[in-house]
Amino acid sequence: MKTDIILSGVGGQGILSIATIIGEAATRMGLTLKQAEVHGMSQRGGDVQSNLRLSDGPIASDLIPLGSADLILSLEPMEALRYLPYLSQEGWIITSSAPFKNIPNYPDEACLQEELKSQPHVVALDVESLARENQVPKSANVILLGAAAAFLKILDVETLRASVGRIFASKGEAVVEMNNRAFNIGYEYVKGLNEKTE
């Protein structure tokens, strides 16, 4: 069993924290983990992308081949669409729907949303708004991780949830509690969507 994830977003949004939490959970479960170099971190506001590969067996390369990613996990809708060529036919896009307009020629927002909606497997949620509404303003990235949890079938949800606590433990109990709440917001959001479609 394996799961190939492309993580994408904009510098400063917390993509690396998501990668760290997933990696910690995978290690706890005894899985093989490979992560390709993260690009763009040095520039806050620049695009950030990383390949994360999890498996219960050996992994030959840390790079995900075109057309084989199981998940594109993105904190920015344009960045999600940028990596579409890597997504498998059965793969899912889990993305924030709120644009981060960091470039002067940012695509038309309506066109962007239409392109997202045209994909067969997509969950788009406004994590920034959800974070503000629920008083967890610095945890939008963990809301996105919670939304992706149901699609990370190789990982046990409770192990992933516990990893959130361990990764933020050094920042104190209040930060851990805030991020646990954020994880649950994303997880419950997707659970609610699934119940509506059943």
Side-chain angles (χ1 to χ4, degrees):
M1 190 178 191
K2 71 162 184 65
T3 299
D4 286 343
I5 308 158
I6 288 178
L7 296 164
S8 67
V10 170
Q13 285 188 307
I15 280 290
L16 285 185
S17 295
I18 293 176
T20 303
I21 295 164
I22 292 173
E24 207 268 2
T27 304
R28 290 262 167 185
M29 292 181 65
L31 297 170
T32 305
L33 166 72
K34 283 207 177 178
Q35 182 174 359
E37 182 185 344
V38 177
H39 299 282
M41 303 189 290
S42 57
Q43 181 192 353
R44 194 173 180 87
D47 65 304
V48 177
Q49 183 268 337
S50 180
N51 286 202
L52 196 57
R53 310 191 78 188
L54 315 175
S55 177
D56 56 7
I59 302 170
S61 167
D62 54 3
L63 292 174
I64 298 169
L66 286 166
S68 67
D70 300 293
L71 273 181
I72 292 174
L73 193 50
S74 181
L75 279 158
E76 210 289 326
M78 183 185 77
E79 294 301 327
L81 293 170
R82 186 195 297 264
Y83 297 102
L84 273 182
Y86 287 88
L87 193 64
S88 76
Q89 287 188 333
E90 298 305 312
W92 278 82
I93 300 167
I94 316 295
T95 185
S96 174
S97 58
F100 187 100
K101 296 182 180 178
N102 57 336
I103 51 172
N105 58 340
Y106 193 92
D108 177 72
E109 202 177 325
C111 293
L112 200 64
Q113 298 302 336
E114 279 308 307
E115 179 63 26
L116 264 181
K117 283 179 189 162
S118 73
Q119 302 307 313
H121 308 118
V122 64
V123 173
L125 64 164
D126 188 341
V127 290
E128 295 294 338
S129 292
L130 284 167
R132 282 193 303 272
E133 287 162 17
N134 291 279
Q135 287 82 51
V136 289
K138 293 183 176 175
S139 302
N141 59 333
V142 182
I143 292 177
L144 189 78
L145 176 62
F151 301 90
L152 291 164
K153 298 197 187 325
I154 197 167
L155 295 177
D156 173 70
V157 172
E158 291 313 313
T159 304
L160 196 57
R161 200 190 303 270
S163 290
V164 171
R166 283 190 291 269
I167 293 302
F168 290 106
S170 64
K171 296 189 176 183
E173 194 51 47
V175 174
V176 169
E177 195 276 330
M178 187 171 68
N179 283 288
N180 279 334
R181 209 143 46 90
F183 184 92
N184 291 337
I185 290 161
Y187 189 69
E188 292 300 323
Y189 180 93
V190 169
K191 212 166 127 188
L193 285 182
N194 289 341
E195 282 164 5
K196 279 178 196 167
T197 56
E198 280 170 7

